[in-house]
Amino acid sequence: MDHVIRPTTAEDWPRTKQLRLDALRDPVAHIAFLETYETAAARPDEVWQQRAAGSRTSGGELMARQFVAERPDGGLDGSVTVLIERAGTEDVLGGRIETDQAHLVGVFVRPEQRGTGLARALFDAAIAFADALDEPRISRVRLYVHQDNERAEAFYRKIGFVRSGRSVPVPGDDSSVEHELVLARES
């Protein structure tokens, strides 16, 4: 693999914006993402700049970090974002957070790179980042997968995620659910 897996910087925003827009054009985007291409394309550049730089709380605490897979020519072939969720707060779907945890979102690898190990490398970097935090200490890593996204769930299971037993309705589509998967860890 010739890619460098790294966290984004503020200067990456035009490329991370384009990667996200490309992801939202993917044939499975409707079950993989809670955002549409039209919504994302309409966002102002400041949103993309903040995402690339990593979001922080008013106290300066890092709350989100995006990782990308960069080719030698500078192109981006994949990404995953780590949201740090604090106990006692609500998650992006309105559920109560019981423990300090990492929530992996925005997973995308370009179709021509699927099956090459790139997704695994992105996940390894994201999980290592979460595990290395001193504050908060992350006790759990999770993600959600749409009930019809069997390929993604098979990949997540292959790298150690298991269903937690919790499912939530897909926002705007009560006939579908997202299953929560958690990283199974050695005790």
Side-chain angles (χ1 to χ4, degrees):
M1 181 172 64
D2 292 336
H3 291 82
V4 172
I5 308 299
R6 65 174 179 79
T8 57
T9 65
E11 294 76 30
D12 291 323
W13 77 266
R15 293 182 299 150
T16 58
K17 174 184 178 181
Q18 188 58 57
L19 183 66
R20 178 65 173 189
L21 294 176
D22 292 348
L24 293 169
R25 287 188 191 114
D26 191 270
V28 297
H30 67 286
I31 61 171
F33 303 107
L34 298 177
E35 178 178 47
T36 66
Y37 174 87
E38 293 76 20
T39 302
R43 294 190 190 287
D45 289 346
E46 293 79 25
V47 169
W48 300 104
Q49 292 163 354
Q50 290 170 350
R51 282 184 178 182
S55 68
R56 298 180 181 276
T57 65
S58 58
E61 182 177 47
L62 187 63
M63 297 307 289
R65 177 86 280 172
Q66 183 179 13
F67 289 84
V68 291
E70 183 177 30
R71 295 187 308 263
D73 67 5
L76 302 180
D77 281 335
S79 80
V80 63
T81 298
V82 182
L83 303 178
I84 303 303
E85 299 176 321
R86 298 302 303 259
T89 63
E90 281 191 6
D91 67 16
V92 295
L93 298 173
R96 183 161 175 75
I97 305 297
E98 301 296 327
T99 186
D100 291 338
Q101 63 189 7
H103 184 167
L104 305 181
V105 300
V107 178
F108 177 70
V109 172
R110 292 189 187 281
E112 64 273 15
Q113 293 295 331
R114 294 176 187 160
T116 66
L118 198 60
R120 177 62 190 245
L122 283 162
F123 269 71
D124 287 348
I127 293 165
F129 163 77
D131 285 344
L133 290 174
D134 289 330
E135 182 58 33
R137 289 295 305 153
I138 300 301
S139 61
R140 187 171 187 257
V141 178
R142 72 172 181 160
L143 54 82
Y144 283 96
V145 64
H146 190 280
Q147 68 187 28
D148 295 333
N149 201 344
E150 294 168 3
R151 180 183 171 125
E153 185 167 352
F155 166 72
Y156 301 144
R157 287 179 179 275
K158 182 178 176 182
I159 64 169
F161 283 83
V162 296
R163 284 193 185 181
S164 69
R166 179 172 187 243
S167 296
V168 297
V170 173
D173 178 11
D174 289 341
S175 67
S176 298
V177 297
E178 296 264 344
H179 300 293
E180 181 187 56
L181 279 68
V182 295
L183 184 60
R185 298 190 184 247
E186 302 285 325
S187 299

